[in-house]
Amino acid sequence: GKLLKIGLIGCGTVGQGVVRLIQAEAEEIERKTGLRLDIARVVDKDPTQARKVGVPEECIAEDAARIFEDKSIGVVVELVGGTGIAKDFVLRAFQAGKDVVTANKALLAKCGKEVYSSARAAGRCIAFEASCGGGIPLILPLRRGLIANRITAIYGILNGTCNYILTEMGQKGKSYAEALAEAQQAGFAEVDPTLDVSGGDTAHKLAILASMAFAHDVDVEKLHVEGIANLDAQDLAAGRELGYVCKLLGIAARTDAGLSLRVHPSFVPRDHPLATTAGSFNAVSVYGNWVGHTLFYGRGAGSKPTASAVVADIVEVGL
Ligand code: HSE
């Protein structure tokens, strides 16, 4: 077998999930793939985060340079998030000759071009399955399984926090504030939950999916984006009486006038698969001109599902 040493930057909800998954599944993954995963170093500005999941003291550091200068580390897993320091980490990883795995949708949606071109210039790769739809495989299916199609449309529930809030409000009559607090508690929400409820997080994910599906530059700043913060229980109830469920959708469609990209609350007929997607689950309908309708469904947020996608990417990069 081959040994892949991993440098993990950011040991919050998802990072801790990645550590736990590798602790639990490394042997089984090696049996299936021949690749031995080893977390060589975990960097976080708060070292107690890594201690919580039993990372040995000698593997914990506060300075990411410890990863970049370590020639034995082959892949950097960036789970810091955002477009500030996380971007420096990703670019420095390429310069240091390492591949990158990230869940950072904001970074890819806003600075994708720069990040991909630095990867190419350094001859490294970047994998980002966990950036869209948490544990649901979406990037690989678009790149491989559906590549023979012209994608005509994507309709997605892409934010677990919003879907959780809308489900709790619609089905249990909870208040917006109460449902949001629960989503934060469960580890679905962003550090700044306005990114979730404003539709911004959905827009980031839609931009990534659309740029892959349509092989097109997508300027996330130009998307029409409307969130859920102004909805109230009465809006949801009114729709329900007419047979509709309110969902925050990210929509990308080929039209005669070009690509149409938008994010807004939408009424979905109650028997549509997107309507029955509840809680932190995400679902993405992808239409291809040869395959017709495909549907991807699963947990779109949270420590374990997102770790599942991150570790899949680590294996993909390492093989
Ligand atoms: N805050 C995001 C969500 C996390 O709620 O879907 C997953 O990207």
Side-chain angles (χ1 to χ4, degrees):
K2 175 182 165 192
L3 174 70
L4 179 62
K5 290 204 175 199
I6 301 161
L8 176 66
I9 312 181
C11 198
T13 305
V14 178
Q16 290 176 18
V18 168
V19 172
R20 284 207 174 98
L21 195 162
I22 291 175
Q23 286 165 347
E25 307 294 347
E27 268 178 40
E28 182 63 10
I29 292 171
E30 183 175 9
R31 199 178 66 78
K32 290 193 285 192
T33 66
L35 187 66
R36 179 76 195 178
L37 302 182
D38 174 41
I39 302 186
R41 179 126 356 244
V42 177
V43 167
D44 197 294
K45 60 183 186 304
D46 173 7
T48 62
Q49 296 284 80
R51 286 184 194 128
K52 276 186 206 162
V53 283
V55 176
E57 210 55 36
E58 67 272 17
C59 296
I60 301 176
E62 286 178 51
D63 183 356
R66 299 291 299 280
I67 289 177
F68 302 127
E69 70 202 13
D70 184 341
K71 295 267 182 290
S72 73
I73 291 177
V75 59
V76 171
V77 179
E78 181 276 306
L79 298 172
V80 175
T83 53
I85 191 169
K87 182 172 159 190
D88 297 336
F89 290 149
V90 167
L91 300 181
R92 280 167 71 192
F94 295 142
Q95 282 156 17
K98 302 180 193 314
D99 296 318
V100 171
V101 169
T102 182
N104 192 335
K105 53 250 165 159
L107 177 65
L108 297 171
K110 290 188 172 167
C111 318
K113 261 190 173 172
E114 183 185 351
V115 169
Y116 304 137
S117 72
S118 338
R120 261 195 306 277
R124 305 319 311 177
C125 65
I126 177 160
F128 46 92
E129 187 64 73
S131 66
C132 299
I136 311 171
L138 283 170
I139 304 297
L140 203 63
L142 283 173
R143 275 202 163 142
R144 302 269 167 84
L146 296 174
I147 196 68
N149 289 263
R150 282 167 185 265
I151 304 302
T152 50
I154 298 175
Y155 294 85
I157 294 172
L158 288 164
N159 186 271
T161 300
C162 289
N163 204 49
Y164 182 88
I165 293 172
L166 291 176
T167 305
E168 294 295 304
M169 284 172 71
Q171 289 181 359
K172 300 186 192 150
K174 281 190 189 151
S175 74
Y176 174 84
E178 191 184 355
L180 172 58
E182 287 174 7
Q184 287 178 287
Q185 188 60 37
F188 306 147
E190 296 303 302
V191 179
D192 171 8
T194 55
L195 249 182
D196 294 296
V197 299
S198 66
D201 178 81
T202 299
H204 291 154
K205 293 163 177 166
L206 185 69
I208 295 169
L209 293 177
S211 66
M212 310 228 23
F214 302 103
H216 223 280
D217 285 339
V218 172
D219 185 351
V220 72
E221 312 293 340
K222 289 193 184 134
L223 264 63
H224 168 84
V225 182
E226 226 180 293
I228 64 162
N230 297 325
L231 292 175
D232 60 38
Q234 279 178 335
D235 297 324
L236 304 192
R240 202 162 50 236
E241 275 177 30
L242 298 169
Y244 292 93
V245 180
C246 182
K247 294 293 184 189
L248 181 71
L249 295 187
I251 300 170
R254 252 184 230 278
T255 70
D256 291 340
L259 218 50
S260 160
L261 294 163
R262 53 196 206 271
V263 173
H264 53 72
S266 312
F267 279 126
V268 177
R270 134 176 91 211
D271 53 1
H272 191 281
L274 293 178
T276 52
T277 299
S280 73
F281 279 85
N282 283 188
V284 185
S285 271
V286 180
Y287 294 82
N289 65 335
W290 291 89
V291 71
H293 182 201
T294 60
L295 178 68
F296 298 87
Y297 173 88
R299 287 204 186 271
S303 180
K304 289 175 75 176
T306 312
S308 160
V310 169
V311 178
D313 271 349
I314 296 173
V315 172
E316 181 76 13
V317 160
L319 281 179

